[in-house]
Amino acid sequence: MSFYPPSLVNLIKQLSKLPGIGEKTAERLALHILRGSVKDAQALAESISEAKETVRLCSVCYGLADSDPCHICRDATRDQDVVCVVEQGTDMVALEKSGAFKGRYHVLQGCLSPMNGVGPDNLRIRELVERLKKGKIKEVVVATGTSVEGESTANYLRQVLEGSGVKVTRIASGVPIGGDLKYTDALTLKRALDSRHCL
Amino acid sequence: MSFYPPSLVNLIKQLSKLPGIGEKTAERLALHILRGSVKDAQALAESISEAKETVRLCSVCYGLADSDPCHICRDATRDQDVVCVVEQGTDMVALEKSGAFKGRYHVLQGCLSPMNGVGPDNLRIRELVERLKKGKIKEVVVATGTSVEGESTANYLRQVLEGSGVKVTRIASGVPIGGDLKYTDALTLKRALDSRHCL
């Protein structure tokens, strides 16, 4: 490594801190940046600083935002009665991409995971309860993942929100669209059968 | 993509310009940068700007350098009689890592490739000839690759340097150390047999 100029060695070191980027890949990326134009390198450097400076958590929904409240929480055309609870900001983006939800969100910033020391106090559950107390919200759609942690977070939320007068629902789980039954795992098939509905 | 704040969308766009980084990976990297500390993000941004600003080509050997001449060309303890000709700065680093060469380098910045429109004028061959005219160099070791392009570049250099009074040598090719004969390709085996020497 010491055969490269120190500033290049430093760039390789910084790039290799990124997830999934080893030393060899970092070397390749660094040399690509050096081969490119000064303008491209500056654009990359500035986009990192700018994103880090401007992107904050929305104080209402705790999603990624560059304004507070975020554009979804500010949007008066969206359904204000329904709040969708998700684990991460990326889950919110996935739901937005689907275009299937027109209400607002609440990002927990994780899910219950005693193994990793994540308890209810580490998530934005208290903030959700506070939000519900304001009385505008009539339904909470729990859209945490269908992993063990996601399911137990959903169950915990059901207990916490019981008696709050708010309807608590859970997204359906079952065979994915386009999925082949023979490749679907037993647990998913069991869930799909349990949740069967009239045609 | 428009579901993320604009500065985050811009960061994802900039990262996805890097080789081997698609949109999904860029998204993952961008979110990792946002999750990390401001200090880490600044260190990454600054390392890009700094490397791009300080790393130049050495005016003697055309290798990557942050000073001119580079530390190898300035090093008086290195053999000044021998110059090793390589295609890229990365080849020079590979040779330096091996510790097997104690002379100086000349980086061609590519190899002859008529298919890609790279002719002798696009490489640092003229600069090599000028360097040899100063009379200090007694041997040129051609260490271009053993691909078709690398071999033809080596042949071209032999022709150009013929009659210059400088000894022109080529690195040996054959079975790699630790290599198994049964997995070695026919061309390499032929070359290894042709270049056999007394034990």
Side-chain angles (χ1 to χ4, degrees):
Chain A
M1 287 297 296
S2 60
F3 307 108
Y4 284 123
S7 57
L8 180 52
V9 172
N10 184 36
L11 175 56
I12 294 172
K13 203 181 103 196
Q14 294 297 336
L15 287 171
S16 62
K17 283 182 186 170
L18 294 172
I21 309 278
E23 204 181 283
K24 277 275 164 195
T25 311
E27 196 176 325
R28 198 162 51 89
L29 296 180
L31 290 170
H32 174 89
I33 291 170
L34 286 183
R35 266 196 303 272
S37 70
V38 177
K39 212 178 111 228
D40 283 350
Q42 286 304 340
L44 176 59
E46 276 162 24
S47 68
I48 294 169
S49 308
E50 206 200 313
K52 191 68 198 170
E53 272 162 29
T54 61
V55 179
R56 292 278 167 276
L57 292 186
C58 167
S59 65
V60 180
C61 71
Y62 300 96
L64 293 170
D66 54 358
S67 56
D68 195 14
C70 71
H71 70 283
I72 292 179
C73 291
R74 265 186 292 128
D75 190 346
T77 65
R78 295 184 77 108
D79 195 346
Q80 305 197 28
D81 298 347
V82 193
V83 160
C84 181
V85 178
V86 291
E87 290 176 18
Q88 298 289 355
T90 42
D91 302 331
M92 180 172 135
V93 170
L95 283 166
E96 278 296 288
K97 279 183 184 168
S98 79
F101 184 69
K102 293 293 170 207
R104 297 192 172 168
Y105 293 92
H106 191 88
V107 184
L108 292 178
Q109 299 290 338
C111 56
L112 293 177
S113 176
M115 292 279 282
N116 300 315
V118 181
D121 292 342
N122 303 111
L123 305 178
R124 301 289 185 175
I125 294 177
R126 204 181 310 122
E127 288 84 350
L128 175 64
V129 174
E130 290 300 318
R131 233 178 128 178
L132 296 181
K133 277 187 188 156
K134 290 179 189 149
K136 278 187 186 166
I137 297 159
K138 294 192 179 107
E139 184 181 348
V140 170
V141 183
V142 182
T144 54
T146 50
S147 62
V148 175
E149 286 91 354
E151 291 286 359
S152 47
T153 309
N155 279 329
Y156 181 81
L157 283 176
R158 186 178 50 76
Q159 287 168 30
V160 168
L161 303 180
E162 221 165 38
S164 67
V166 177
K167 189 176 163 190
V168 182
T169 56
R170 177 87 171 111
I171 50 162
S173 43
V175 183
I177 305 302
D180 208 326
L181 255 74
K182 68 174 170 288
Y183 299 127
T184 308
D185 63 292
L187 268 176
T188 303
L189 281 179
K190 187 178 179 304
R191 183 73 67 92
L193 277 172
D194 289 347
S195 312
R196 67 186 179 278
H197 49 77
C198 293
L199 266 181
Chain B
M1 287 295 298
S2 62
F3 307 109
Y4 283 124
S7 57
L8 179 51
V9 172
N10 183 37
L11 175 56
I12 294 171
K13 202 182 104 197
Q14 293 297 335
L15 287 171
S16 62
K17 284 182 186 171
L18 295 172
I21 309 278
E23 203 181 283
K24 277 275 164 196
T25 311
E27 195 177 322
R28 197 161 52 88
L29 295 180
L31 290 170
H32 175 89
I33 291 170
L34 286 183
R35 267 196 302 272
S37 70
V38 177
K39 210 177 113 228
D40 283 350
Q42 286 305 340
L44 175 59
E46 276 163 25
S47 68
I48 294 169
S49 308
E50 205 199 316
K52 191 66 198 169
E53 273 163 30
T54 60
V55 179
R56 293 276 167 276
L57 293 185
C58 168
S59 65
V60 180
C61 71
Y62 300 97
L64 293 169
D66 54 358
S67 56
D68 195 14
C70 71
H71 70 284
I72 292 178
C73 290
R74 264 186 292 128
D75 189 347
T77 64
R78 295 184 79 107
D79 195 345
Q80 305 196 28
D81 298 346
V82 194
V83 160
C84 180
V85 178
V86 291
E87 291 176 18
Q88 298 290 354
T90 41
D91 301 330
M92 179 173 137
V93 170
L95 283 166
E96 279 297 286
K97 279 183 184 169
S98 80
F101 184 69
K102 293 290 171 211
R104 295 189 175 171
Y105 293 92
H106 190 88
V107 184
L108 292 178
Q109 300 290 338
C111 56
L112 292 177
S113 175
M115 292 279 281
N116 300 314
V118 182
D121 292 341
N122 303 110
L123 304 178
R124 302 290 185 174
I125 294 177
R126 204 181 312 121
E127 288 85 349
L128 175 64
V129 174
E130 289 300 316
R131 232 177 128 178
L132 296 181
K133 276 185 188 156
K134 290 180 188 146
K136 278 185 184 167
I137 297 159
K138 294 191 180 106
E139 183 182 347
V140 171
V141 183
V142 182
T144 54
T146 51
S147 62
V148 175
E149 286 90 356
E151 290 287 358
S152 47
T153 309
N155 279 329
Y156 181 81
L157 282 175
R158 187 180 46 78
Q159 286 168 32
V160 168
L161 303 180
E162 222 164 36
S164 67
V166 177
K167 188 175 163 191
V168 182
T169 55
R170 176 89 172 109
I171 51 161
S173 45
V175 182
I177 304 303
D180 208 326
L181 255 73
K182 67 173 172 288
Y183 299 127
T184 308
D185 63 293
L187 269 176
T188 303
L189 281 178
K190 187 179 180 304
R191 183 74 68 92
L193 277 171
D194 289 348
S195 312
R196 68 187 179 277
H197 49 78
C198 293
L199 265 182

